[in-house]
């Protein structure tokens, strides 16, 4: 039966999907060989070809030096007196008396000789992968052109380039198109034509909402011949509440969102889901990105502190937390390192964390910069002081009116208890000495004596009054239970009374402090030393009685300042990445020297400047990008494009992609009509098998049982427990929530096929799919037509109808299963088609 089912959906891949498979290394392996060229051969080979374009140091040369040479000749080590981390040392005379680089003189530059020699004792690098012939050619050309040395693009202030004018007037209408067309034209390539309208509407729906369009929505767009049809569609989708769910999830990947602490107990983080909802709502509301960042880094220190801004400080509580560390001091610094790692990479695109134990080996970030950054966070307490104590992480944000009702109830209770205690003591003094001593011990012993002997030691008036007070106390308790619950959010609820000093730790050892440091920004930004409060100054107090040093506000303001050379670049690169499948800088968490240089640096700066000028509005960037011809291009492959630019660095085509983990699950629920589209609220627990639940460190604990209606909600609302991630999502590359995730893997592997063939979930959903199209009331041909229309919003072909009919008939006749089951299995195959799992 499996072979019969598989024969339907494991059909030959179309060219686009085949290209995706090939990019993952799953459609065969390419042979490889290494060849070494001596300096003369490289020069001779260069002479045979037309003069190439000038070599770009920061884009082409510096990454080679960092990757191949920095281990021995970098900022941390300069063997032979040569370091390629900076220009002066790279051009300096080596200890041998020779020069590694002589501008304009290839023969005198020992760098070329040492990377191309066949002598294994002379060849550089001595270990690891050798310099490739292509890299050697680039270095040779660069030296021959004069070895121009440039500063790494990310460490330079943003430029403000004007969009170019290109030959095709249609590609001048949107500046994005002009930048891309120029680079394509220089490479002798032309961009693809526009994708068809069915492809575009599906692409837009998935990119902005993570959900498939309904058949009615597709038909409406296809029939809309207005020139503004696509821009109107984009505007409509940006107003959908599902937009925030899709794009909020991107942000949750970056800030390592989870709802448990990890380690052995992996206890839940109370109210973590409110931070998730804060993120979703912020995207839906189109909150300016600079405000969004400020609220997370310093929501408790802003001029106007609200429940929303306090919820944003849940950012500081998302990391892993060991409730029983062997070395508390080490655990504290590990938590701070996690915070610096996430803050540096998510907001600034810098691996500042690499300078914890020593100066950064690649980027010009000294160890002092790491600890100066840490000092901004000195008032960030640990998640909890021990056990499950919520004092540090739960902020009471109950309204003033409700707080007053709780206060009045508490005052009344204390008065009643005081009056009762007075009467009790009047009776106790009349009791025997042993009874009196018993009332001074444990509470249960006191209550026992009072229950048995108080009445006989009181007067009738005293007893009547005591009974009246007990009745009032019960009424008081009932009133308390009837009050709405107090409202708390996860965030920075408590600060240390006296934050300690910050020291550089010798080799990162928290038990070996060195020189004291003050808050300051990384040297590469060339920013002024910030003015911050000293540890002895009076701390600020806000309306919620929160006290802090105000240092994080200083950091937040600097991070989102208009002249910060990285923040806007990093964010527009992420927006681009989630639309095109990869960023202009592919290493979107690392804009440093070991990251991937931008393919279009001028476009990146233009986008960043436009982002700032738009008021840091993310939805404006969506409109700008999605209304470009580049975004609307077909994904069709072309021989000349594959030959010239196989990685599509120049964007001559649109790259198809596999659905994300959440999109797979949500699409299944959407096409069978069971998706619960309600937005916001507490997380739900997916139904997991006993075998999966047994895999926890504490089997049987920490996983609830949500009703089916809740389990049909979107995947972004699934409870994220670090030690028990949902198997279907992990099969489709759900990220490790312990670390910031810049871009998810997009693998194609057997576990995915098994999940979509054999899991209880997929069989339950395929049965619902068959029921949703009323398969029992129609023939096989109509079943196929309805299933394909529901799944793909298009008409089934005659071949598909014939194949589907044959499969259903064979399953029922040959395998002896009911028609209902056979139809359900056919629906299962449809949800395994490439067309279902890929966005073109």
């Amino acid at each position: 039966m499996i072979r019969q089912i598989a024969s339907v959906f494991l059909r030959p891949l179309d060219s686009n999907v085949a290209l995706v498979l090939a990019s993952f290394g799953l459609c065969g392996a390419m042979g490889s060989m290494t060849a070494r060229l001596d300096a003369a051969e490289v020069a001779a080979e260069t002479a045979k070809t037309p003069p190439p374009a000038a070599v770009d140091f920061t884009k082409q040369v510096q990454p080679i030096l960092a990757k191949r040479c920095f281990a021995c000749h970098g900022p941390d080590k300069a063997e032979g007196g040569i370091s390629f981390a900076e220009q002066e040392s790279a051009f300096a005379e080596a200890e041998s008396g020779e020069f590694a680089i002589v501008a304009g003189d290839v023969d005198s530059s020992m760098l070329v000789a040492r990377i191309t020699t066949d002598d294994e004792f002379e060849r550089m690098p001595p270990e690891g992968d050798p310099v490739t012939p292509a890299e050697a050619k680039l270095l040779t050309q660069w030296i021959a052109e004069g070895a121009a040395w440039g500063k790494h693009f990310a460490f330079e202030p943003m430029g403000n380039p004007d969009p170019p004018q290109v030959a095709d007037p249609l590609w001048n209408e949107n500046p994005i198109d002009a930048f891309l067309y120029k680079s394509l034209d220089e490479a002798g390539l032309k961009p693809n034509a526009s994708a068809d309208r069915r492809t575009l509407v599906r692409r837009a729906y998935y990119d902005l909402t993570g959900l498939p369009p309904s058949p009615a929505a597709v038909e409406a767009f296809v029939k809309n011949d207005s020139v503004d049809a696509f821009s109107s569609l984009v505007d409509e989708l940006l107003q959908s509440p599902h937009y925030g769910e899709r794009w909020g999830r991107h942000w949750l990947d970056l800030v390592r969102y989870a709802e448990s602490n990890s380690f052995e107990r992996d206890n839940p983080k109370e109210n973590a889901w409110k931070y998730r909802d804060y993120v979703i709502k912020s995207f839906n509301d189109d909150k300016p990105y600079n405000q969004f960042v400020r609220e997370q880094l310093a929501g408790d220190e802003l001029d106007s502190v609200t429940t929303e801004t306090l919820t944003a400080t849940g950012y500081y509580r998302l990391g892993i937390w060991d409730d029983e560390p062997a070395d508390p001091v080490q655990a504290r610094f590990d938590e701070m390192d996690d915070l610096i790692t996430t803050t540096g990479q998510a907001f600034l695109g810098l691996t500042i964390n690499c300078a914890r134990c020593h100066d950064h080996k690649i980027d010009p970030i000294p160890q002092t910069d790491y600890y100066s950054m840490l000092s901004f966070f000195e008032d960030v307490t640990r998640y909890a002081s021990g056990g499950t104590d919520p004092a540090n992480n739960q902020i009471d944000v109950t309204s003033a009116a409700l707080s007053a009702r709780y206060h009045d109830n508490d005052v009344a209770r204390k008065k009643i208890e005081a009056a009762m205690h007075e009467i009790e003591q009047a009776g106790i003094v009349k009791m025997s000495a042993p009874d009196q001593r018993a009332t001074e011990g444990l509470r249960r012993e006191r209550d026992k004596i009072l229950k048995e002997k108080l009445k006989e030691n009181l007067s009738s008036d005293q007893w009547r009054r005591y009974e009246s007070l007990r009745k009032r106390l019960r009424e008081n308790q009932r009133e308390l239970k009837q009050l709405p619950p107090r409202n708390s959010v996860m965030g920075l609820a408590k600060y240390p009374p006296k934050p300690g000093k910050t020291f550089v730790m010798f080799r990162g050892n928290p038990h070996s402090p060195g020189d004291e440091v003050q808050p300051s920004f990384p040297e590469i930004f060339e920013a002024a030393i910030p003015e911050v409060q000293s540890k002895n100054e009076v701390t600020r107090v806000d309306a919620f009685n929160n006290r802090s040093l105000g240092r994080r506000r200083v950091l937040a303001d600097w991070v989102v300042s208009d002249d910060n050379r990285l923040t806007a670049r990093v964010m527009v690169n992420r927006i681009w990445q989630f639309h095109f499948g990869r960023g202009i800088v592919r290493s979107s968490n690392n804009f440093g020297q070991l990251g991937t240089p931008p393919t279009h640096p001028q476009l990146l700066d233009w986008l960043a400047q436009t982002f700032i000028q738009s008021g840091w509005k993310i939805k404006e960037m969506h409109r700008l990008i999605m209304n470009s011809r580049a975004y609307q291009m077909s994904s069709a492959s072309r021989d000349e494009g594959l030959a010239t630019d196989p990685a599509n660095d120049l964007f001559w085509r649109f790259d198809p992609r596999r659905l994300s983990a959440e999109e797979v699950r949500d699409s299944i629920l959407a096409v069978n009509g069971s998706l619960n589209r309600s937005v916001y609220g507490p997380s739900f627990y997916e139904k997991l098998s006993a075998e999966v639940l047994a895999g926890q460190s504490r089997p049987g604990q920490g996983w609830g049982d949500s009703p089916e209606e809740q389990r049909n909600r979107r995947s972004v609302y699934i409870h994220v427990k670090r030690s028990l991630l949902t198997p279907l999502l992990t099969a489709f590359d759900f990220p490790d929530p312990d670390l910031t995730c810049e871009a998810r893997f997009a693998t194609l592997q057997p576990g995915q096929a098994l999940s979509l063939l054999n899991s209880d979930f997929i069989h339950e959903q395929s049965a619902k799919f068959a029921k949703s199209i009323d398969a029992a009331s129609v023939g096989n041909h109509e079943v196929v037509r309805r299933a394909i229309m529901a799944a793909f919003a298009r008409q089934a072909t005659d071949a598909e109808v014939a194949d589907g009919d044959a499969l259903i008939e064979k399953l029922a006749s040959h395998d002896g299963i009911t028609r209902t089951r056979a139809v359900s299995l056919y629906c299962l195959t449809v949800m395994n088609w490439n067309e279902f799992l890929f966005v073109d």
Side-chain angles (χ1 to χ4, degrees), residues 199-251:
T199 297
L200 284 179
V201 65
R202 190 167 188 267
R203 185 185 297 175
Y205 263 84
Y206 271 114
D207 276 10
L208 289 182
T209 70
L211 292 171
S214 67
V218 172
E219 288 306 312
F221 178 73
V222 169
K223 293 176 180 177
N224 185 350
D225 57 3
S226 167
V227 294
D228 299 325
F230 190 74
S231 61
S232 297
L233 174 67
V234 170
D235 287 340
E236 176 187 337
L237 295 176
L238 288 174
Q239 297 307 311
S240 167
H242 301 309
Y243 160 76
E245 294 170 329
R246 169 66 172 158
W247 281 79
R249 183 61 250 187
H250 292 321
W251 186 259

Side-chain angles (χ1 to χ4, degrees), residues 688-696 699 724 727 760:
L688 302 179
S689 69
E691 293 80 4
V692 171
L693 291 172
Q696 299 182 85
L724 191 64
D760 291 340

Side-chain angles (χ1 to χ4, degrees), residues 15-27:
S15 59
N16 292 337
V17 177
L19 282 170
V20 176
L21 291 169
S23 71
F24 297 140
L26 294 175
C27 286

Side-chain angles (χ1 to χ4, degrees), residues 310-311 313-315 317 392-395 489-494:
L310 292 175
T311 304
T313 66
Y315 166 74
R317 302 309 191 193
N392 287 358
N393 59 67
Q394 295 298 310
I395 307 172
V489 297
M490 185 182 74
L492 290 181
K494 193 175 182 180

Side-chain angles (χ1 to χ4, degrees), residues 770-780 782-783 786 819-820 823:
K771 186 176 181 179
S772 71
I773 59 175
D774 197 16
S777 66
V778 295
N780 293 347
E782 185 61 20
V783 165
R786 291 184 180 185
R819 181 180 182 274
T820 299
V823 168

